[in-house]
């Protein structure tokens, strides 16, 4: 399975944009890039996913490098509620339906008032 | 009401005891999963089930067993609990529609302490 590398921690101020990087230099052509986050004392929740093109949803944006070896999760205006551990995960779409999520340690985002 | 519920939310037990953690979902999903999370680490898959008659081992199944009683219910058992099974346990569900999303929805977790 291809691996991802994320910084252990990042900090941001409230209402400022946050760019969370993820490196995945061994990504294969069939890997989707997924992001989940885990708020304190909760289970993980889905944020966004993409394959090649940049993606936007109500929670965040995902910017994918042209060579797909890295990606960035963008929170446009951080709120205190966005303080969480963010996981960048590669999922093989050719896995025959085995919905494998491999969680690394993620990036712990702190948001300051 | 939460779509994925776990009981109990907290449990303290002693070494050698049998423990069952239960998960129920109202999302109508066929797929269910059990993960454990140790402090400062990501989640690791214990078992997963694609339907009532399909049970599969994950990466850390030793010392655990599961039962899929119905589409909505998936239980995790520790036959003889040991201290290194102290962890946070999460249940999750998904509905594989053949596409790329296949989002997993997680329960609130069960904190298990084995003394």
């Amino acid at each position: 399975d291809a691996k991802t590398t994320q910084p252990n921690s990042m900090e941001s101020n409230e209402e400022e944009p946050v760019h969370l990087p993820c490196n995945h230099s061994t990504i294969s052509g069939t890997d989707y890039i997924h992001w989940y986050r885990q708020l304190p004392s909760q289970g993980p929740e889905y944020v966004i996913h993409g394959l090649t093109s940049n993606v936007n949803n109500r929670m965040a944006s995902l910017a994918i490098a042209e060579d797909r070896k890295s990606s960035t999760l963008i929170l446009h205006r951080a709120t205190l509620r966005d303080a969480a551990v963010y996981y960048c995960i590669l999922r093989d779409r050719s896995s025959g339906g085995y919905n494998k999520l491999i969680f690394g340690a993620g990036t712990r985002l702190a948001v300051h008032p | 009401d939460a779509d994925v519920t776990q009981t109990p939310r907290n449990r303290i037990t002693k070494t050698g005891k049998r423990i069952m953690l239960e998960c129920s979902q109202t999302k109508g999903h066929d797929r269910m999963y059990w993960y454990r999370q140790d402090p400062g680490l990501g989640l690791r898959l214990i078992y997963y089930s694609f339907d009532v008659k399909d049970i599969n081992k994950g990466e850390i199944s030793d010392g655990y067993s599961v039962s899929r009683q119905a589409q909505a219910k998936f239980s995790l058992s520790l036959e003889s609990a040991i201290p290194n099974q102290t962890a946070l346990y999460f249940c999750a569900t998904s509905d594989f529609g053949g596409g790329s999303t296949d989002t997993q929805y997680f329960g609130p977790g069960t904190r298990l302490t084995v003394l």
Side-chain angles (χ1 to χ4, degrees):
Chain A
D1 296 311
K3 294 184 178 179
T4 63
T5 303
Q6 301 177 251
N8 291 332
S9 63
M10 293 185 64
E11 296 186 0
S12 175
N13 294 319
E14 199 174 10
E15 299 190 2
E16 290 184 355
V18 181
H19 291 232
L20 297 163
C22 181
N23 288 319
H24 28 78
S25 58
T26 60
I27 191 170
S28 74
T30 55
D31 284 333
Y32 276 85
I33 303 159
H34 287 248
W35 285 81
Y36 280 70
R37 72 178 185 180
Q38 187 173 16
L39 302 173
S41 301
Q42 295 187 27
E45 64 175 347
Y46 168 81
V47 177
I48 200 168
H49 81 285
L51 182 62
T52 56
S53 302
N54 294 345
V55 184
N56 301 294
N57 66 19
R58 64 175 180 82
M59 291 180 69
S61 295
L62 177 61
I64 301 172
E66 193 169 342
D67 64 5
R68 300 210 325 126
K69 293 185 176 182
S70 65
S71 60
T72 302
L73 180 70
I74 302 167
L75 307 179
H76 295 286
R77 291 185 65 191
T79 69
L80 297 178
R81 193 189 177 279
D82 290 322
V85 178
Y86 287 78
Y87 298 98
C88 171
I89 302 168
L90 299 183
R91 298 181 67 191
D92 186 353
R93 65 176 175 169
S94 68
S95 63
Y98 174 20
N99 190 11
K100 181 185 273 189
L101 281 180
I102 299 177
F103 289 83
T107 296
R108 183 173 298 277
L109 175 66
V111 180
H112 303 293
Chain B
D1 290 335
D3 295 319
V4 183
T5 57
Q6 294 183 231
T7 55
R9 294 293 312 279
N10 288 282
R11 181 71 183 269
I12 300 173
T13 190
K14 295 181 179 180
T15 297
K17 293 292 187 180
R18 184 178 187 275
I19 296 297
M20 178 179 286
L21 309 183
E22 298 186 342
C23 177
S24 295
Q25 52 112 348
T26 60
K27 299 187 75 67
H29 289 169
D30 288 327
R31 299 184 169 198
M32 298 187 73
Y33 311 80
W34 276 105
Y35 293 88
R36 71 174 274 176
Q37 184 175 33
D38 295 284
L41 300 179
L43 281 70
R44 292 182 291 168
L45 183 64
I46 305 172
Y47 271 96
Y48 62 103
S49 170
F50 284 174
D51 63 38
V52 175
K53 297 181 180 179
D54 181 78
I55 304 288
N56 303 280
K57 293 182 177 180
E59 55 183 314
I60 54 162
S61 59
D62 287 348
Y64 302 95
S65 63
V66 291
S67 174
R68 184 80 183 268
Q69 301 94 323
Q71 185 203 39
K73 297 184 181 297
F74 193 34
S75 299
L76 176 71
S77 294
L78 288 67
E79 296 300 326
S80 180
I82 56 177
N84 75 3
Q85 290 178 313
T86 293
L88 195 53
Y89 289 85
F90 289 101
C91 174
T93 75
S94 73
D95 183 16
F96 182 68
S100 67
T101 305
D102 201 11
T103 299
Q104 288 195 13
Y105 298 87
F106 287 81
T110 294
R111 185 170 299 281
L112 177 65
T113 302
V114 183
L115 302 176

